[in-house]
Amino acid sequence: MSVGPVIEITGDGSHTLFLPELEEHYHSVNGAIQESKHVFIEAGLRHLKRDVVHIFEVGFGTGLNAFLSLIESDASREIHYTTIEAYPLPLSIIKQLNYADKYSQEQQDLFYKLHEVEWGTEQWITPGFYLTKIQTDLNQLDFSVLKSFDIIYFDAFAPDKQAEMWSQQIFDQMYNITNEQGMLVTYCAKGVVRRMMQQSGYKTERLPGPPGKREMLRATKL
Ligand SMILES: C[S@@+](CC[C@H](N)C(=O)[O-])C[C@H]1O[C@@H](n2cnc3c(N)ncnc32)[C@H](O)[C@@H]1O
């Protein structure tokens, strides 16, 4: 019998999920919010100076990256966020997560709205944030139905747990859907992953990682 995800507290007080069958966490145990802000928001979204930003995420999961991106959007920065997820989490788990606790009631409601809106078509969340959730396996995704993107949040489980998510073919497909001057960011800094990104055509940078992790990667399409 498979055991579902278990909620745990990370180093910054925010929750993560632990998947016993994979022996893997959804986020850094040193701090889930801290990691998401460092890798995806600071090194990705805030690094790109554009008024309209198209984001593609691999692994919607708890919706933490989507929520923190939504917080960054406003009247002068419109975000179109497309995310894929093979195994959507039940609302009963989402409702126990503390990601929105320190935010206003309106923003807490928006965290749930991200999870409650329909899958498969673009949904209006706020005047500055549009969400498209696609339920699919990355390895079966029909890339021809996707637009192209300014930022890719590559947030799959680690390569030693899910090698099939970190192949040359996947990074070639990621490169093809990245706009010029666009980028892919990931918490993973492994040399073999960096070399696959370079082989796809990206210029890669090793950046300081979030607390507990020496480095992360940002790959730019020049
Ligand atoms: C490291 S977790 C990160 C999730 C999310 N970004 C978050 O902050 O909660 C990886 C996510 O990828 C999803 N996933 C695993 N295998 C997948 C696949 N083959 N295709 C698409 N998503 C997958 C998992 O279910 C999980 O939600």
Side-chain angles (χ1 to χ4, degrees):
M1 196 181 78
S2 80
V3 185
V6 179
I7 297 177
E8 291 185 4
I9 295 274
T10 66
D12 66 359
S14 60
H15 283 139
T16 190
L17 298 177
F18 175 69
L19 261 192
E21 62 197 77
L22 210 57
E23 291 188 16
E24 175 72 326
H25 289 91
Y26 275 54
H27 310 95
S28 164
V29 294
N30 293 295
I33 289 187
Q34 184 175 257
E35 175 189 48
S36 178
K37 281 187 172 167
H38 183 105
V39 175
F40 302 106
I41 305 300
E42 290 291 344
L45 186 50
R46 287 192 181 163
H47 185 69
L48 191 92
K49 310 280 179 236
R50 286 194 192 164
D51 296 342
V52 180
V53 184
H54 292 265
I55 298 175
F56 179 69
E57 178 185 42
V58 174
F60 178 61
T62 63
L64 176 57
N65 295 335
F67 177 63
L68 294 177
S69 301
L70 161 61
I71 298 295
E72 295 287 309
S73 66
D74 55 32
S76 61
R77 175 161 252 212
E78 184 177 302
I79 296 179
H80 294 260
Y81 197 101
T82 300
T83 181
I84 63 157
E85 174 57 60
Y87 313 104
L89 291 162
L91 262 183
S92 56
I93 288 188
I94 298 304
K95 291 207 164 136
Q96 296 176 62
L97 299 174
N98 63 3
Y99 297 144
D101 286 6
K102 294 199 176 122
Y103 292 87
S104 69
Q105 185 59 52
E106 190 189 342
Q107 288 167 324
Q108 290 181 29
D109 293 343
L110 289 172
F111 176 63
Y112 297 118
K113 188 172 178 184
L114 295 175
H115 288 276
E116 284 164 345
V117 292
E118 211 179 299
W119 292 72
T121 55
E122 186 170 72
Q123 303 287 321
W124 184 93
I125 305 295
T126 67
F129 196 86
Y130 298 79
L131 176 67
T132 306
K133 296 187 291 184
I134 305 171
Q135 185 173 354
T136 184
D137 184 322
L138 176 63
N139 285 287
Q140 279 156 27
L141 177 62
D142 176 4
F143 280 85
S144 69
V145 302
L146 292 182
K147 301 177 222 120
S148 56
F149 300 91
D150 303 305
I151 310 178
I152 295 175
Y153 293 172
F154 202 85
D155 199 11
F157 289 129
D160 57 334
K161 304 289 177 173
Q162 253 199 324
E164 73 277 13
M165 302 287 277
W166 304 82
S167 68
Q168 187 62 58
Q169 188 191 351
I170 292 289
F171 286 111
D172 289 349
Q173 283 161 326
M174 293 296 130
Y175 186 80
N176 288 341
I177 60 165
T178 305
N179 290 330
E180 275 183 26
Q181 305 305 322
M183 67 188 79
L184 178 154
V185 278
T186 182
Y187 65 87
C188 177
K190 279 187 182 296
V192 61
V193 168
R194 183 165 46 90
R195 287 187 288 279
M196 280 192 271
M197 291 172 178
Q198 290 167 343
Q199 176 71 27
S200 300
Y202 286 115
K203 172 184 164 281
T204 59
E205 294 167 89
R206 284 184 288 194
L207 304 174
K213 198 135 196 312
R214 203 157 52 89
E215 291 180 328
M216 59 160 283
L217 292 175
R218 179 167 60 210
T220 306
K221 181 167 180 172
L222 298 176

